[in-house]
Amino acid sequence: MEEVRVLLVDDEREISQLIQIVLQKEGFSHVALAEDGREALRLIDEFQPHIIVLDVMLPDANGFDLCRTIRERTEAPILFLTARSSVKGYADLPAEEQYDWEPAEIRRYAGVIRDKAHYMEQLIADLNLTFRLKNEALPLQLAEHDLVEVVRQTVIDVMNDPCSEAYALSFQPFVDRVMVWLDKEWFQRALHNLLANAVTHNPPGTEVKVSVQSETDRMVIVVEDDGQGMDQETQGMLFERYYRGTNTAKHSQGTGLGMAIAKQLIEAHGGEIHISSQVGRGTKISVCLPKLTALRGGDG
């Protein structure tokens, strides 16, 4: 796998070093630091980063203006880590000498910092996963599993999540038992992302039905909801990295990588993913696993 190079652009050296530690923990060993826009442009030419993490407020440039200049030099994805800015802001508050902070206030700020740090680690971990999948550097631990049971367990996990309490999830297997050749952990991650997306982007009360079906030459897992649906533009962008659809205010902590990861993981298993949707009439996502490559030992 090609070493992923990350450029951090932030005038707060201490914060950049903390982010660098988190990145290195996730396997990003090639990280360069820039403290202003001029240094960032120089390093883009010399370092040629794959990912750029950019602060929106720099001493010599507005981050959004700098982003447009960067776009003329590289197509590397640019991340504006507003969550990191929140970490810094809440970390600074207890240090203000003019305030006599109550223990409860300090605990509240500590909780915010913890949550923002968790988000940042989640984002970096998801970025790492997408690059490993893109470079075919994620070794799958393939073994025989009952596809019906794998899907059932995933649906139950999502149903037990407090975020899903207001939604009607159901599972309907149209086959009793189907042994497939897959990596259970990563395949369940893909299914979980699909179900989480159906919950996140639909109003409470939405019905989400999951089924497993057997067709002539493939197995099909269907995730279907009667929610708000998507227009053609949204459908075309759904599996793009960093894309966020509508109705995400209640779950603003997502990384914007969930659906892209789901698609990559399914394709890593030799499968395909398809979507059909109409605004106001819901969405249907089909995960297809070809029997000849997904099943070991024949038609299962």
Side-chain angles (χ1 to χ4, degrees), residues 197 201 225 228-241 243-246 259-260 263 273-286:
N197 186 75
H201 297 280
D225 66 66
Q228 60 188 14
M230 303 178 229
D231 57 26
Q232 288 296 321
E233 180 182 359
T234 302
Q235 292 180 56
M237 297 290 292
L238 185 62
F239 300 109
E240 295 294 323
R241 291 188 300 176
Y243 180 74
R244 296 173 183 268
T246 58
M259 294 300 281
K263 183 175 186 291
I273 186 166
H274 305 282
I275 179 172
S276 61
S277 183
Q278 290 185 347
V279 175
R281 300 189 64 178
T283 299
K284 178 180 178 180
I285 294 179
S286 301

XYZ file of all heavy atoms in Angstrom, residues 197 201 225 228-241 243-246 259-260 263 273-286:
299
model
N -27.816 4.849 8.011
C -28.157 5.898 7.056
C -29.666 6.037 6.909
O -30.197 7.149 6.827
C -27.531 5.588 5.698
C -27.725 6.700 4.698
O -27.082 7.730 4.751
N -28.644 6.486 3.753
N -31.353 9.744 8.095
C -31.871 10.653 7.080
C -33.377 10.560 6.895
O -33.905 11.005 5.865
C -31.151 10.396 5.753
C -29.678 10.672 5.837
N -29.161 11.943 5.766
C -28.625 9.849 6.037
C -27.840 11.891 5.904
N -27.500 10.631 6.061
N -37.016 1.488 3.020
C -37.748 2.331 3.971
C -38.850 3.093 3.255
O -38.840 3.223 2.025
C -36.794 3.298 4.684
C -36.178 4.335 3.762
O -36.935 5.188 3.233
O -34.944 4.317 3.558
N -38.471 9.713 3.439
C -38.625 10.877 2.581
C -38.062 10.697 1.181
O -38.370 11.465 0.278
C -37.959 12.087 3.229
C -36.472 11.936 3.491
C -35.919 13.094 4.301
O -36.664 13.881 4.881
N -34.605 13.211 4.328
N -37.248 9.674 0.959
C -36.727 9.428 -0.376
C -35.656 10.430 -0.784
O -35.311 11.353 -0.047
N -35.113 10.239 -1.987
C -34.033 11.091 -2.497
C -34.277 11.462 -3.947
O -34.843 10.673 -4.716
C -32.690 10.348 -2.438
C -32.271 9.848 -1.093
S -30.698 8.947 -1.219
C -31.136 7.474 -0.299
N -33.785 12.639 -4.310
C -33.837 13.019 -5.718
C -32.656 12.393 -6.459
O -31.792 11.756 -5.861
C -33.845 14.545 -5.879
C -32.629 15.207 -5.223
O -31.578 14.554 -5.087
O -32.743 16.382 -4.838
N -32.613 12.580 -7.765
C -31.584 11.938 -8.575
C -30.182 12.440 -8.225
O -29.221 11.670 -8.214
C -31.865 12.201 -10.069
C -33.059 11.433 -10.614
C -32.827 9.923 -10.569
O -31.736 9.426 -10.828
N -33.876 9.181 -10.232
N -30.063 13.714 -7.921
C -28.753 14.263 -7.573
C -28.211 13.617 -6.312
O -27.035 13.234 -6.249
C -28.843 15.772 -7.378
C -27.514 16.413 -7.005
C -27.623 17.905 -6.768
O -28.735 18.458 -6.902
O -26.594 18.531 -6.433
N -29.067 13.484 -5.298
C -28.638 12.857 -4.043
C -28.254 11.409 -4.263
O -27.258 10.921 -3.721
C -29.748 12.963 -2.984
O -30.071 14.345 -2.768
C -29.303 12.345 -1.667
N -29.042 10.687 -5.061
C -28.726 9.291 -5.342
C -27.362 9.167 -6.012
O -26.590 8.255 -5.717
C -29.802 8.678 -6.235
C -31.157 8.522 -5.558
C -32.191 7.912 -6.484
O -31.996 6.827 -7.038
N -33.303 8.614 -6.672
N -27.067 10.086 -6.917
C -25.794 10.037 -7.626
C -24.601 10.317 -6.738
O -23.480 9.889 -7.031
N -24.828 11.035 -5.635
C -23.741 11.411 -4.731
C -23.684 10.565 -3.469
O -22.769 10.713 -2.664
C -23.905 12.883 -4.331
C -23.816 13.870 -5.478
S -22.136 13.987 -6.126
C -21.301 14.757 -4.740
N -24.646 9.667 -3.284
C -24.813 8.978 -2.008
C -23.568 8.237 -1.546
O -23.253 8.222 -0.352
C -25.991 7.999 -2.095
C -26.368 7.287 -0.790
C -26.799 8.293 0.268
C -27.473 6.264 -1.041
N -22.843 7.625 -2.464
C -21.687 6.820 -2.086
C -20.369 7.563 -2.260
O -19.305 6.956 -2.228
C -21.672 5.526 -2.889
C -22.899 4.673 -2.662
C -23.856 4.525 -3.653
C -23.107 4.049 -1.436
C -24.990 3.750 -3.439
C -24.235 3.278 -1.212
C -25.185 3.135 -2.212
N -20.453 8.883 -2.434
C -19.243 9.694 -2.519
C -18.736 9.997 -1.116
O -19.521 10.217 -0.191
C -19.517 11.002 -3.257
C -19.902 10.837 -4.711
C -18.770 10.268 -5.548
O -17.605 10.633 -5.271
O -19.048 9.473 -6.459
N -17.425 10.036 -0.958
C -16.853 10.373 0.342
C -17.207 11.802 0.723
O -17.213 12.694 -0.118
C -15.332 10.205 0.320
C -14.895 8.759 0.218
C -13.404 8.627 0.397
N -12.653 9.371 -0.622
C -11.331 9.465 -0.623
N -10.627 8.911 0.328
N -10.723 10.125 -1.584
N -19.933 13.105 1.426
C -21.242 13.636 1.059
C -22.227 13.426 2.197
O -22.280 12.361 2.805
C -21.787 12.957 -0.204
C -23.139 13.496 -0.613
C -23.234 14.751 -1.200
C -24.299 12.780 -0.369
C -24.473 15.276 -1.562
C -25.542 13.300 -0.725
C -25.617 14.535 -1.316
O -26.839 15.054 -1.657
N -23.021 14.467 2.487
C -24.067 14.380 3.504
C -25.383 14.766 2.851
O -25.478 15.803 2.196
C -23.785 15.329 4.683
C -22.524 14.970 5.455
C -22.243 16.058 6.473
N -21.005 15.790 7.182
C -20.931 15.121 8.310
N -22.020 14.624 8.849
N -19.770 14.922 8.921
N -26.371 13.946 3.089
C -27.690 14.252 2.559
C -28.447 15.185 3.483
O -27.879 15.959 4.245
N -29.769 15.102 3.442
C -30.610 15.986 4.237
C -30.901 15.380 5.597
O -30.641 14.215 5.865
C -31.950 16.219 3.509
O -32.572 14.939 3.291
C -31.730 16.904 2.182
N -21.452 5.730 3.948
C -21.973 5.062 2.765
C -20.859 4.704 1.790
O -20.915 3.663 1.123
C -23.030 5.939 2.098
C -24.275 6.141 2.946
S -25.114 4.597 3.338
C -25.985 4.305 1.798
N -19.844 5.554 1.704
C -18.693 5.229 0.853
C -17.998 3.975 1.369
O -17.602 3.094 0.590
C -17.720 6.400 0.816
N -20.076 0.804 0.554
C -19.917 0.392 -0.842
C -18.567 -0.283 -1.065
O -18.475 -1.342 -1.721
C -20.051 1.598 -1.760
C -19.971 1.289 -3.254
C -20.250 2.542 -4.071
C -20.310 2.239 -5.567
N -19.001 1.872 -6.119
N -23.797 -2.895 -5.018
C -24.842 -2.199 -4.272
C -25.599 -1.301 -5.232
O -24.996 -0.608 -6.067
C -24.248 -1.413 -3.088
C -25.360 -0.815 -2.229
C -23.260 -0.362 -3.552
C -24.875 -0.323 -0.877
N -26.926 -1.337 -5.143
C -27.777 -0.559 -6.034
C -28.816 0.191 -5.212
O -29.219 -0.256 -4.138
C -28.478 -1.474 -7.041
C -27.550 -2.333 -7.835
N -26.832 -1.852 -8.911
C -27.206 -3.642 -7.700
C -26.089 -2.835 -9.408
N -26.295 -3.925 -8.691
N -29.246 1.337 -5.750
C -30.217 2.159 -5.043
C -31.323 2.593 -5.978
O -31.086 2.890 -7.158
C -29.538 3.397 -4.405
C -30.568 4.267 -3.680
C -28.787 4.215 -5.454
C -29.961 5.391 -2.884
N -32.546 2.592 -5.465
C -33.680 3.183 -6.172
C -34.478 3.980 -5.143
O -34.683 3.531 -4.021
C -34.568 2.110 -6.824
O -35.104 1.244 -5.836
N -34.893 5.179 -5.528
C -35.559 6.046 -4.559
C -36.403 7.076 -5.285
O -36.088 7.473 -6.415
C -34.518 6.736 -3.670
O -35.130 7.534 -2.685
N -37.478 7.506 -4.609
C -38.312 8.595 -5.103
C -38.619 9.515 -3.934
O -38.904 9.055 -2.819
C -39.622 8.064 -5.714
C -39.456 7.326 -7.031
C -40.801 6.933 -7.625
O -41.825 6.992 -6.956
N -40.786 6.548 -8.887
N -38.557 10.796 -4.184
C -38.855 11.764 -3.134
C -40.274 11.551 -2.621
O -41.227 11.467 -3.399
C -38.689 13.207 -3.665
C -39.111 14.217 -2.598
C -37.250 13.448 -4.086
N -40.381 11.421 -1.311
C -41.683 11.226 -0.682
C -42.179 9.801 -0.679
O -43.241 9.515 -0.097
N -41.424 8.877 -1.292
C -41.900 7.491 -1.386
C -40.887 6.481 -0.848
O -41.115 5.284 -0.957
C -42.250 7.157 -2.834
C -43.329 8.057 -3.403
C -43.815 7.576 -4.746
N -44.467 6.269 -4.641
C -45.026 5.628 -5.674
N -44.979 6.182 -6.884
N -45.591 4.454 -5.497
N -39.782 6.948 -0.305
C -38.839 6.034 0.328
C -37.681 5.613 -0.564
O -37.561 6.042 -1.717
N -36.860 4.739 0.013
C -35.616 4.325 -0.637
C -35.431 2.820 -0.500
O -35.756 2.235 0.528
C -34.410 5.048 0.000
O -34.563 6.452 -0.171
C -33.094 4.589 -0.614
N -34.884 2.221 -1.538
C -34.572 0.786 -1.530
C -33.120 0.606 -1.937
O -32.706 1.043 -3.007
C -35.482 0.037 -2.507
C -35.193 -1.457 -2.613
C -36.145 -2.117 -3.596
C -35.864 -3.597 -3.767
N -36.791 -4.237 -4.731
N -32.348 -0.028 -1.063
C -30.943 -0.337 -1.349
C -30.786 -1.845 -1.396
O -31.198 -2.552 -0.473
C -30.012 0.281 -0.293
C -30.068 1.806 -0.372
C -28.587 -0.217 -0.482
C -29.201 2.509 0.642
N -30.189 -2.340 -2.474
C -30.001 -3.775 -2.670
C -28.521 -4.111 -2.683
O -27.749 -3.507 -3.441
C -30.646 -4.223 -3.982
O -32.029 -3.940 -3.997
